[in-house]
Amino acid sequence: MSIGASPGRAGDGDLFHAMPMGLFRLAAKEAWEVVANLAPADKGSGAFEPSQDVSCTLGNVCLIADANPSACALLQVKDPAEIVMQPLASVLPEDALKQFAGGLYRLFRGQKAIAYDGTVTIAGGGKHEVAFNLWQDVRDLAPNDIYLSFSSLRERISLEQTKDGLQSDLARSARISLLGEMTASIAHEVNQPLGTIVASAEAGLRWLSGDEPEIAEVKLLLERIAKNGKRAADVIATMREMASNRKSERVPTDINSVIEEAVLLLRTDFAKRQVTLRLDLSPTLPLVKADKTQILQVIVNLALNAAQAMSDGQAWNRTLCIRTRQGIANVAVDVEDSGPGVDPLVREKLFESFFSTKEAGIGMGLAICRSIIEAHGSRIELQSTPHLGARFSFALPAEQALANGYR
Ligand code: ADP
């Protein structure tokens, strides 16, 4: 996916057309004007509830400027010419147009990416349930373009239904589908600003090394470096929002049952790696305020890392202990292994994106864990002893109203 780039335009087209999810580039000049001119009553206090008229207008003025093969396959369209240059309303039913209009308004208010579930209309009638992502070009090249991606929800649902027997694959697929989709795009998108940063820094050094350093030139180059660094950071921020694929939902959650679910997902993996699991879960914990899916993702990541560290490090004792403890106003979770521990040199970089010591590692797991836990108002602590193992811990706030009531 060519986030922030201009898919379908020279140079970026390959990635756009190769993406495994449906992807539209939308020409939205008129749509932006419509949104900008909405009466204050239509805009409300921020939670925009578009009227049917507004959603209909927006669906008609937004044109599908380009559609990739996955989009055509999902919509069961044989020839892209059937949908290209058609209004978006030709492939979105009324309720999806309403969601789209709401999303467009949030983009207009500065949100970087919007994710929601909805439906598309398939050729010949009928609807298909999909997960949508909507975002805007973060570069200045095509400020009026919007990108709308959609992938079938059926696969997600059937994966959920085939939990038994697929525990390990499911856990890994959740990780890989998230990371796999992101990494190729991030690598592609940040490569260019990074290239500019390196070239500008080298040019700056040359300007400084002459007999009479050209300070004005160097100032310009430093400004270019700062601008490109910010652009790369923006791309990553947008990808992060998209990766979460939906709004975070904090609800009263039984942390022990999330751990039990994570362990179920990894059962096959533990057996394969000859890891003995010890669950030390306190039976008298308050509920915590958390996004269950995200916390599940964190525990799966930490436990899988622990299992990998023990088997890759050839530890003779491979015990993974997951523990829960009650704190003053929170519940702490420890994921502890008896592997090689984390090398002090590695430790500094552990949570950085793309840092991995594994041959086939992506190096995004801990970065994502950290951002999830920080979004929950906490942090991940690491205790590590060489040759004895590592312990990753975090705490989640106890649900206020229920803090005194035990489950
Ligand atoms: P990846 O698993 O793709 O390498 P992560 O961000 O999950 O990416 O982990 C980054 C690095 O942190 C790993 O490559 C590994 O070196 C180190 N690491 C993570 N967990 C452990 C652990 N339990 N014991 C030792 N090293 C670990």
Side-chain angles (χ1 to χ4, degrees):
M1 170 172 38
S2 187
I3 183 142
S6 302
R9 287 159 191 256
D12 289 319
D14 287 352
L15 196 60
F16 179 83
H17 290 104
M19 284 306 290
M21 59 177 64
L23 197 47
F24 286 160
R25 178 167 65 85
L26 301 171
K29 187 165 185 293
E30 277 183 65
W32 287 125
E33 284 164 17
V34 172
V35 174
N37 289 326
L38 282 177
D42 282 329
K43 293 179 188 170
S45 57
F48 176 49
E49 256 299 312
S51 67
Q52 201 183 343
D53 274 0
V54 170
S55 347
C56 217
T57 309
L58 288 172
N60 280 310
V61 295
C62 262
L63 294 185
I64 303 169
D66 202 357
N68 74 351
S70 304
C72 295
L74 231 150
L75 296 170
Q76 298 177 13
V77 167
K78 288 199 188 79
D79 183 352
E82 289 173 40
I83 49 173
V84 169
M85 294 326 284
Q86 294 299 313
L88 186 61
S90 63
V91 295
L92 291 194
E94 218 171 78
D95 47 347
L97 279 179
K98 201 164 175 190
Q99 292 170 308
F100 173 77
L104 205 57
Y105 180 66
R106 277 149 67 203
L107 281 187
F108 182 74
R109 304 250 311 184
Q111 195 165 327
K112 293 223 163 87
I114 289 136
Y116 54 94
D117 292 349
T119 50
V120 288
T121 312
I122 47 183
K127 289 181 183 177
H128 193 108
E129 283 181 65
V130 293
F132 284 110
N133 277 292
L134 181 66
W135 71 98
Q136 201 189 346
D137 197 319
V138 295
R139 302 190 303 196
D140 296 334
L141 294 181
N144 292 319
D145 285 355
I146 304 170
Y147 302 104
L148 181 68
S149 73
F150 45 97
S151 47
S152 175
L153 274 177
R154 285 190 195 146
E155 285 155 35
R156 191 157 100 193
I157 292 162
S158 79
L159 266 182
E160 276 160 16
Q161 285 167 347
T162 50
K163 221 182 208 175
D164 288 348
L166 275 179
Q167 300 92 341
S168 173
D169 287 353
L170 182 58
R172 214 173 294 107
S173 86
R175 229 160 92 120
I176 288 167
S177 67
L178 170 71
L179 298 175
E181 276 171 20
M182 285 171 67
T183 40
S185 314
I186 296 178
H188 173 80
E189 294 298 329
V190 299
N191 217 13
Q192 202 275 332
L194 284 181
T196 309
I197 288 171
V198 171
S200 305
E202 285 170 350
L205 285 173
R206 279 197 299 276
W207 283 114
L208 285 176
S209 60
D211 287 338
E212 287 181 18
E214 293 281 353
I215 301 299
E217 286 293 342
V218 173
K219 190 166 167 260
L220 279 179
L221 288 164
L222 285 175
E223 280 167 1
R224 192 186 296 166
I225 288 173
K227 210 167 148 196
N228 276 275
K230 186 172 173 308
R231 205 176 105 204
D234 279 349
V235 169
I236 289 168
T238 309
M239 299 304 289
R240 278 221 168 118
E241 278 191 57
M242 285 180 62
S244 69
N245 210 24
R246 63 194 172 81
K247 244 173 65 208
S248 180
E249 279 172 24
R250 311 271 161 76
V251 292
T253 302
D254 174 358
I255 191 73
N256 286 350
S257 68
V258 181
I259 292 171
E260 277 154 9
E261 199 176 323
V263 163
L264 201 67
L265 293 172
L266 294 170
R267 211 169 46 189
T268 320
D269 224 81
F270 291 158
K272 207 172 69 198
R273 294 175 186 276
Q274 297 170 319
V275 168
T276 307
L277 176 70
R278 199 155 62 82
L279 288 184
D280 184 0
L281 307 180
S282 166
T284 54
L285 292 175
L287 300 172
V288 293
K289 202 170 179 186
D291 182 315
K292 188 184 150 231
T293 315
Q294 291 186 347
I295 297 304
L296 178 71
Q297 195 184 341
V298 169
I299 294 167
V300 165
N301 265 306
L302 295 179
L304 200 53
N305 271 346
Q308 285 171 348
M310 290 187 286
S311 61
D312 294 350
Q314 303 286 314
W316 60 270
N317 168 20
R318 298 181 188 178
T319 307
L320 167 67
C321 174
I322 307 184
R323 188 180 304 113
T324 50
R325 302 172 272 129
Q326 186 174 356
I328 294 171
N330 59 26
V331 172
V333 178
D334 297 333
V335 178
E336 195 176 89
D337 64 60
S338 57
V342 177
D343 189 299
L345 288 174
V346 164
R347 194 177 174 135
E348 286 169 27
K349 299 185 172 170
L350 209 61
F351 292 95
E352 283 178 21
S353 301
F354 301 121
F355 175 78
S356 177
T357 56
K358 299 169 195 167
E359 228 173 77
I362 301 171
M364 284 291 286
L366 287 177
I368 288 174
C369 289
R370 183 173 67 172
S371 72
I372 290 174
I373 296 300
E374 284 181 355
H376 280 75
S378 181
R379 46 182 296 163
I380 299 187
E381 307 283 355
L382 166 65
Q383 288 198 347
S384 167
T385 315
H387 313 297
L388 288 181
R391 179 165 78 206
F392 288 82
S393 312
F394 61 90
L396 294 170
E399 175 65 16
Q400 293 271 311
L402 296 158
N404 298 325
Y406 297 100
R407 67 189 183 97

